[in-house]
Amino acid sequence: MTQKRDYYDVLGINRNADEAMIKKAYRKLAKKYHPDTNAGNKAAEQKFKEVTEAYDVLGDPEKKKLYDRFGHSAFDGSAQTYGGSASGSGFRGFDGNGGYREFHFESGNMEDIFGDIFGDMFRGGAGRREKGFRDGFCGQTFRMRGSDIQSDVSLRFEEAVFGCEKMIRIQKEDGSVQSLKVHIPAGIDTGKSIRLRGKGMPGQGGAEAGDLLLRVNVEKKPGFERKGMDVYSSVRIPFATAALGGEAVVQTLTGNVVCSIRKGTQSGTKIRLKGKGIVSMKDPSVYGDQYVTVQIEVPENLSPEAEQKLREFDAVCKKRGSEKHHAA
């Protein structure tokens, strides 16, 4: 029998490599030796199988622990398994994927123990339990749900705020690309995840596949800042409007609205637009608010007439201020 190479050597990494480094090394080699780009190249095909086998172990935290402890013998049947009694506090052994797991329990019920380890095979009556023991321990494959996988998805501000149907492309571990149509719920924010059932790793022995978890990152939108369900923006108004009062056009997520400006409004004043924020993911009838900060424009390039009027205004203000000071 040909001795297998060390999985770390296969991927070209050291034994202290973290999950990200392992994945990066695998993707680089999988792309290099992928059959689609090496048609008819038997050596490349063998290399591809070798790196895929190495990543299948090192890319799984539980299998990696087992490999680090036992090496290749952990998966060729020569490593020793460990068992325990029903009255103990745990059970250790190899799972249906060739991995090593430690199961803890409190009830001491043997049926519960095997249910935790092997899933529904040992649930549902004596007949099914008997079949589970007969098939499972006579070399048949145990049913084991596939692992969940994670990926990232970037959304435009409007896509997250209003929701949409979006086509995304996911690069699979073998280097291939899969296109998926994803429903983006309105109101989702950065840091949230979208779960796609059955789009993860395939199950073992006919069991269901795992899920795909899409971690969301929402792009910024110029002029708006999001804080939860509320949004913040600003509006610039002329000096005369701030002093005398009037109206200002404010941009919202759903279009422009006209806001009343009170006489004597100061720069930095906040206007609250109730219900003009972002919809709640839990209750589509609930919306956040929009807070608009007023910024007063300073006139530039005044005409001679406007400059004269402004000087007269300034003189009146100074005279009034002086009179108040002397009266005090």
Side-chain angles (χ1 to χ4, degrees):
M1 178 183 294
T2 303
Q3 185 175 0
K4 290 186 177 181
R5 291 175 60 200
D6 182 86
Y7 286 150
Y8 289 96
D9 290 342
V10 171
L11 296 182
I13 55 178
N14 60 48
R15 304 187 80 84
N16 295 323
D18 59 19
E19 183 178 349
M21 294 173 64
I22 294 172
K23 181 177 290 187
K24 181 179 179 180
Y26 166 70
R27 287 183 173 176
K28 179 180 179 180
L29 293 172
K31 183 177 181 180
K32 179 178 180 180
Y33 296 116
H34 197 280
D36 290 346
T37 56
N38 294 276
N41 189 333
K42 295 297 183 180
E45 181 181 350
Q46 185 59 37
K47 285 282 188 181
F48 181 77
K49 291 179 180 179
E50 190 177 33
V51 297
T52 301
E53 179 182 329
Y55 181 70
D56 180 61
V57 173
L58 299 184
D60 184 307
E62 296 299 329
K63 291 183 181 180
K64 183 177 181 297
K65 290 179 183 178
L66 184 60
Y67 179 76
D68 289 343
R69 184 174 180 181
F70 297 107
H72 292 295
S73 62
F75 309 103
D76 62 12
S78 62
Q80 183 182 0
T81 60
Y82 300 84
S85 66
S87 60
S89 61
F91 179 93
R92 296 182 294 168
F94 294 99
D95 62 25
N97 285 321
Y100 178 78
R101 294 181 60 186
E102 184 169 338
F103 302 88
H104 294 278
F105 53 90
E106 298 178 358
S107 66
N109 186 303
M110 183 60 84
E111 180 175 337
D112 291 340
I113 299 170
F114 283 116
D116 289 339
I117 300 172
F118 300 116
D120 290 340
M121 178 183 292
F122 295 96
R123 303 185 191 277
R128 291 176 61 188
R129 288 195 296 274
E130 180 182 351
K131 182 180 185 300
F133 275 101
R134 183 177 66 250
D135 290 349
F137 289 101
C138 289
Q140 299 300 315
T141 302
F142 293 118
R143 288 175 55 84
M144 184 69 67
R145 181 183 180 276
S147 301
D148 294 340
I149 57 177
Q150 293 186 337
S151 187
D152 298 317
V153 58
S154 293
L155 303 176
R156 291 186 293 107
F157 190 86
E158 290 80 4
E159 291 176 331
V161 169
F162 302 112
C164 64
E165 300 292 327
K166 185 178 180 69
M167 292 297 298
I168 64 171
R169 292 164 61 85
I170 301 296
Q171 184 173 13
K172 302 173 71 175
E173 293 185 348
D174 63 0
S176 62
V177 177
Q178 180 181 13
S179 296
L180 296 171
K181 186 176 183 181
V182 181
H183 172 69
I184 307 299
I188 198 165
D189 200 0
T190 295
K192 301 291 185 181
S193 292
I194 300 173
R195 181 181 293 272
L196 301 182
R197 302 283 183 184
K199 298 299 182 181
M201 297 296 290
Q204 300 291 327
E208 64 179 348
D211 301 332
L212 170 61
L213 301 175
L214 296 175
R215 292 175 301 225
V216 171
N217 178 62
V218 181
E219 298 173 0
K220 304 294 184 182
K221 179 177 176 66
F224 289 89
E225 180 183 3
R226 177 176 180 175
K227 294 182 180 179
M229 293 169 55
D230 298 328
V231 291
Y232 293 77
S233 64
S234 62
V235 62
R236 297 172 63 87
I237 63 173
F239 171 78
T241 302
L244 304 176
E247 295 180 336
V249 177
V250 174
Q251 182 183 8
T252 73
L253 298 175
T254 54
N256 293 337
V257 298
V258 177
C259 294
S260 296
I261 304 298
R262 291 182 297 179
K263 183 178 180 180
T265 292
Q266 302 297 305
S267 184
T269 299
K270 282 188 171 58
I271 302 173
R272 178 191 178 196
L273 302 180
K274 187 175 181 181
K276 290 298 183 179
I278 297 172
V279 66
S280 168
M281 290 183 64
K282 298 179 179 179
D283 186 347
S285 66
V286 176
Y287 284 78
D289 302 325
Q290 181 172 342
Y291 294 90
V292 184
T293 300
V294 174
Q295 298 176 346
I296 298 176
E297 296 178 330
V298 177
E300 297 181 22
N301 303 320
L302 294 173
S303 66
E305 181 182 4
E307 185 174 343
Q308 179 59 35
K309 294 296 183 182
L310 189 58
R311 292 186 184 280
E312 292 175 4
F313 170 76
D314 184 51
V316 170
C317 289
K318 289 180 178 178
K319 181 179 179 181
R320 184 179 180 185
S322 178
E323 292 174 349
K324 286 185 177 181
H325 176 71
H326 290 299

